[in-house]
Amino acid sequence: MSYILLDGKDLAGRMKAEMREKVENMAAKGVVPGLAVVIVGNDPASRVYVNSKKKDCAEVGIRSFEYALPEETTEEQLLGLIDTLNEDDSVDGILVQLPIPKHLDEAKVIRRISPKKDVDAFHPYNVGELMIGTPIFAPCTPAGIMELIKDAGLEVAGKNCVVIGRSNIVGKPMAMLMLHNNATVTICHSKTKDLKSVCKQADILVAAIGKTELITSEYVKEGAIVIDVGMNRTPEGRLTGDVNFEDVKEKVSAITPVPGGVGPMTRAMLLVNTIKACNMHKANMLS
Ligand code: NAP
């Protein structure tokens, strides 16, 4: 069977070109969207993510402000910085790169970000808005996946969608977006009995597990759409997904590659949310 390659890199590139134009128009009216990126400690993977987010911002003309705090930063200091950024008019979006060091309370930090600047959409206020179907900001990874599916002209309504993973940042909001798009949704996790047979019912299978190539052709129904969220490193340093691409590709109707699938879409949606936040904050200057 021939399959559609859901090319996130290509779509993200097209979206960025459109965003660049939008930001230029905003700048002509004296408004430049701003994203504050806060990183605490020296996690090398977080450093890579922060650098790429800054690069993306520069590409579309968004101003980025980096706050690199040392590992020993206290909770009070971090919360103090967030308070300052909440009040700063040049900052439209605030992102605290996760994970943060263990001595800091992640939930408390997320709750401190103003929901109006919460471009990751992790604040319980935004989670609630998503739940009732009126999201201000949609969480970047699931929202990026929906864009990728729509861009390929694939139908979601009425489909059986199985999401593997129930994290707050991927699995749960993914299931919610699929539900709002009229899919019939099943959420699986590490305690799911007979994962294979549940997955085999899926017209759309989303793997957000964090286990290298766990999903083989035995889990996939003929003609399914397979979305691989996984970003794992083998001991040799190779980047792998949660899906064994080579094994499943002849069976699927569409599939995302790793790299170049979901990852670039996550990054593009952060820019979308930042521009949206700016439009909300500075509507009077832009009208
Ligand atoms: P997470 O918080 O660790 O959640 C993993 C989920 O997978 C959990 O719900 C867990 O179940 C479930 N799980 C683990 N082993 C399983 C198994 N053998 N069978 C069935 N379910 C299993 O991870 P996450 O933050 O959601 O991220 C998932 C993956 O996506 C990671 O590889 C991450 O790096 C990647 N990711 C990629 C992007 C991107 O832009 N491409 C963005 C975010 C995350 P329990 O709840 O029962 O423990």
Side-chain angles (χ1 to χ4, degrees):
M1 177 184 245
S2 71
Y3 60 88
I4 300 170
L5 187 72
L6 298 168
D7 187 338
K9 198 170 169 205
D10 173 69
L11 176 56
R14 283 186 275 131
M15 287 172 68
K16 281 197 273 189
E18 271 176 35
M19 284 191 268
R20 194 178 313 126
E21 221 170 278
K22 230 184 238 176
V23 172
E24 270 168 19
N25 290 334
M26 292 167 85
K29 294 177 178 164
V31 174
V32 180
L35 175 69
V37 184
V38 181
I39 174 169
V40 188
N42 308 308
D43 178 46
S46 292
R47 172 41 64 196
V48 172
Y49 293 138
V50 165
N51 286 348
S52 43
K53 285 167 189 172
K54 281 166 55 189
K55 188 172 144 269
D56 291 338
C57 283
E59 241 180 272
V60 302
I62 293 175
R63 206 179 279 153
S64 66
F65 310 96
E66 180 183 318
Y67 295 86
L69 307 181
E71 182 82 25
E72 58 278 11
T73 301
T74 64
E75 199 165 277
E76 203 186 346
Q77 286 168 328
L78 180 56
L79 296 176
L81 172 62
I82 293 171
D83 289 343
T84 306
L85 297 173
N86 282 337
E87 293 303 316
D88 185 339
D89 285 342
S90 60
V91 172
D92 295 295
I94 303 171
L95 178 153
V96 176
Q97 184 63 48
L98 301 178
I100 50 177
K102 293 268 178 290
H103 66 280
L104 303 168
D105 182 343
E106 190 174 291
K108 202 168 168 183
V109 170
I110 289 172
R111 280 172 192 270
R112 195 66 161 246
I113 298 170
S114 162
K116 292 191 177 109
K117 297 191 177 187
D118 171 37
V119 285
D120 262 338
F122 293 164
H123 191 291
Y125 178 90
N126 285 320
V127 175
E129 290 284 5
L130 175 68
M131 184 85 182
I132 62 171
T134 52
I136 305 169
F137 303 116
C140 299
T141 300
I145 291 169
M146 296 311 299
E147 289 297 322
L148 204 46
I149 291 174
K150 278 184 200 158
D151 183 69
L154 300 169
E155 193 60 62
V156 170
K159 295 284 163 67
N160 281 335
C161 174
V162 174
V163 179
I164 320 169
R166 55 175 162 180
S167 71
N168 289 332
I169 63 168
V170 188
K172 283 185 208 159
M174 183 75 257
M176 207 45 66
L177 285 183
M178 285 288 180
L179 185 62
H180 291 321
N181 281 273
N182 297 319
T184 302
V185 184
T186 306
I187 306 176
C188 299
H189 45 77
S190 67
K191 309 290 186 293
T192 297
K193 298 260 184 282
D194 198 359
L195 185 67
K196 263 183 209 168
S197 67
V198 181
C199 291
K200 280 208 115 168
Q201 305 297 313
D203 303 310
I204 304 174
L205 180 63
V206 182
I209 313 164
K211 296 262 154 66
T212 289
E213 297 175 355
L214 179 83
I215 302 303
T216 58
S217 58
E218 292 180 339
Y219 289 74
V220 176
K221 180 168 102 173
E222 197 79 37
I225 298 167
V226 175
I227 307 293
D228 189 353
V229 185
M231 281 202 326
N232 316 299
R233 289 265 168 213
T234 63
E236 303 77 44
R238 187 169 64 94
L239 178 66
T240 65
D242 289 342
V243 176
N244 187 326
F245 186 97
E246 288 305 315
D247 191 45
V248 307
K249 71 179 185 194
E250 299 307 336
K251 226 176 165 182
V252 301
S253 60
I255 185 166
T256 58
V258 175
V262 175
M265 292 306 299
T266 299
R267 288 166 55 178
M269 293 313 294
L270 177 67
L271 306 174
V272 169
N273 282 350
T274 304
I275 294 170
K276 188 172 186 188
C278 181
N279 271 300
M280 270 165 25
H281 300 149
K282 286 143 193 167
N284 56 337
M285 295 167 74
L286 290 166
S287 58

